[in-house]
Amino acid sequence: MPELPEVEGVVNSLKPVATGKTINEVKVSSVITHAHSQGRQAIVKGSSLQQFCSDLAGAKIEQVVRRSKYIYFHLIKNNEQKLLVTHLGMTGAWFYVQHTEDVTEEKFRKHIHVQFQLDDDMILVYADIRRFGEMRLLDMESQFPPLLLMAPEPFEEIALNHFLQMSLLPKYQQKSIKETIMDGQVISGCGNIYATEALFRMKIHPGRTVKRISEKRKVQLFKEIVDVLNESISAGGSSISDYRNINGEAGNMQDRLQMYGKKICPTCQQPVKQRVLGGRNSWYCSTCQR
Ligand SMILES: [Zn+2]
């Protein structure tokens, strides 16, 4: 699943090609059309396909920004602001091509689900192999309240205090630290890969309950998470599974990971342990992490 650094890579590659362009026409795949006809809101959420396509046609893309793991397209149509909120789900990817055949990797080309025909004769293509991605057209963010519950961006100054305060709430005190830092209401954009790495670097066992971690350690852990995220952004993200940026490129952060998906601890050479926490596989070293 793409995490914050991967989404940042997608947004950075979308910005120069999408900003200032007008969406002339929107096309959706027959798979999505069929799902909607059966009452399943595949990919396009919160509105009918007809409404979605007609509302987007003629809209100009003013800005593309990342918010946590979401990509926000700020649009303007007939002097009215619109917000297209999109999420890559497990396997979503955007491409900027002249023809859909120009999406070079077959696994994406076979799963093109939404196409924005732009006014520069290019197409902004959304492909999604497993179809867990989302697109939601809003007038403003507050129209979809879950967005307002997201923790501040981890790079903002208020994010550390937000994390510390949230971690004191009764519902998090008994929880494992790993589940807590992966909760988007506590910290924005820290998914399984980077939670695993930050906990390993801090020598904290992922199953340790929040209440058994001192404030000083929590502050250090938060800084470690920010460092890992920044490091990965610089490396272009981790290309585990199906992450691609808009140019079809994958990052190389996966080569720097020390614990995620590993079999042997790089510090003590003991076998790495695995445990499921909050439905996600956790890798850790029971010797180094306490
Ligand atoms: Zn170890």
Side-chain angles (χ1 to χ4, degrees):
M1 183 185 289
E3 299 184 18
L4 184 152
E6 291 78 42
V7 179
E8 179 83 5
V10 172
V11 167
N12 285 338
S13 57
L14 272 170
K15 274 180 184 170
V17 299
T19 310
K21 306 285 168 66
T22 296
I23 300 167
N24 283 344
E25 195 192 351
V26 180
K27 284 185 200 164
V28 290
S29 69
S30 56
V31 173
I32 299 306
T33 308
H34 178 74
H36 273 252
S37 74
Q38 303 291 305
R40 281 178 290 119
Q41 294 201 327
I43 297 183
V44 176
K45 312 286 182 190
S47 64
S48 70
L49 290 179
Q50 204 185 4
Q51 189 80 51
F52 180 79
C53 295
S54 69
D55 282 354
L56 276 172
K60 184 179 172 188
I61 302 167
E62 292 225 297
Q63 229 188 340
V64 187
V65 293
R66 183 188 56 70
R67 173 71 180 100
S68 187
K69 297 181 207 172
Y70 288 90
I71 302 170
Y72 284 9
F73 291 81
H74 290 274
L75 308 168
I76 192 152
K77 182 178 172 179
N78 302 331
N79 289 323
E80 278 176 34
Q81 311 268 350
K82 297 254 178 211
L83 181 66
L84 176 65
V85 175
T86 71
H87 194 287
L88 298 168
M90 301 284 284
T91 53
W94 288 92
F95 299 94
Y96 176 72
V97 289
Q98 198 161 16
H99 309 283
T100 52
E101 304 85 74
D102 300 337
V103 175
T104 48
E105 277 184 276
E106 193 188 2
K107 65 175 177 181
F108 289 112
R109 193 169 60 245
K110 279 167 65 181
H111 297 279
I112 291 175
H113 291 302
V114 183
Q115 297 178 45
F116 295 161
Q117 181 68 58
L118 302 177
D119 60 350
D120 60 355
D121 283 332
M122 298 290 279
I123 315 170
L124 208 49
V125 166
Y126 179 72
D128 195 338
I129 300 161
R130 296 182 61 186
R131 298 196 300 277
F132 288 119
E134 288 182 22
M135 292 190 191
R136 194 180 292 272
L137 187 58
L138 307 171
D139 291 328
M140 62 194 83
E141 208 181 20
S142 57
Q143 237 176 9
F144 187 57
L147 298 174
L148 301 179
L149 295 175
M150 284 190 288
E153 285 297 304
F155 313 115
E156 283 176 20
E157 214 178 325
I158 51 166
L160 170 60
N161 273 333
H162 177 86
F163 163 60
L164 294 174
Q165 280 170 17
M166 292 293 276
S167 74
L168 295 174
L169 295 180
K171 72 168 182 170
Y172 294 113
Q173 285 280 291
Q174 300 293 339
K175 265 204 175 163
S176 74
I177 184 64
K178 177 143 183 281
E179 285 174 276
T180 304
I181 60 177
M182 285 178 62
D183 184 325
Q185 296 186 22
V186 179
I187 297 179
S188 259
C190 178
N192 202 11
I193 298 175
Y194 304 110
T196 298
E197 290 302 306
L199 288 168
F200 175 67
R201 290 181 182 192
M202 281 297 300
K203 301 185 171 16
I204 296 175
H205 191 292
R208 180 175 274 264
T209 51
V210 170
K211 67 168 183 203
R212 292 187 55 235
I213 301 177
S214 70
E215 176 165 316
K216 190 179 159 205
R217 296 278 281 162
K218 283 190 264 187
V219 171
Q220 290 168 335
L221 173 61
F222 184 83
K223 291 190 169 146
E224 201 63 63
I225 291 168
V226 170
D227 283 353
V228 177
L229 291 174
N230 272 324
E231 222 177 291
S232 180
I233 288 172
S234 307
S238 301
S239 52
I240 284 160
S241 72
D242 296 304
Y243 161 66
R244 297 291 180 277
N245 73 17
I246 194 167
N247 305 311
E249 297 157 348
N252 56 30
M253 182 65 183
Q254 70 280 1
D255 302 333
R256 302 194 202 180
L257 301 178
Q258 295 184 286
M259 183 48 62
Y260 182 87
K262 300 294 179 199
K263 292 197 165 62
I264 302 289
C265 171
T267 307
C268 71
Q269 319 305 322
Q270 294 296 307
V272 162
K273 298 235 159 94
Q274 287 190 44
R275 172 173 164 187
V276 175
L277 281 170
R280 305 297 301 277
N281 206 3
S282 294
W283 288 263
Y284 64 98
C285 173
S286 58
T287 309
C288 298
Q289 292 175 261
R290 296 298 169 120

